[in-house]
Amino acid sequence: MKVNILILFIGILTIIGCDYDDVQRDIEGQYIGTFQRGENSSTVELTLNNSNFAGKVKS
């Protein structure tokens, strides 16, 4: 009996805790920054436009 109540409670929390909103954020623009992986780092320029992106390494 207690196990069934616990399973029901966890199921309800899971359903309530889910976010079903399909939110799209407007992140279009140009971003410049330094990206680092281990010992290597590069200055990179990213351009985001209509769900497309382009990038290049800046000197």
Side-chain angles (χ1 to χ4, degrees), residues 34-53:
T34 302
F35 292 84
Q36 183 173 354
R37 179 185 234 178
E39 299 285 324
N40 302 322
S41 66
S42 297
T43 301
V44 177
E45 180 180 322
L46 297 174
T47 303
L48 304 172
N49 187 8
N50 291 329
S51 300
N52 295 314
F53 70 92

Side-chain angles (χ1 to χ4, degrees), residues 5-6 11-13 18 20 22-23 27 32 40 42 46 51 54:
I5 293 174
L6 180 62
I12 291 172
L13 283 179
C18 293
Y20 294 105
D22 186 22
V23 178
I27 60 170
I32 300 173
N40 302 322
S42 297
L46 297 174
S51 300

Side-chain angles (χ1 to χ4, degrees), residues 6-7 10 13 16-17 21-22 25-26 31 46 50 56:
L6 180 62
I7 292 171
I10 291 173
L13 283 179
I16 292 173
D21 291 339
D22 186 22
R25 306 207 190 288
D26 183 17
Y31 302 90
L46 297 174
N50 291 329
K56 63 182 177 180

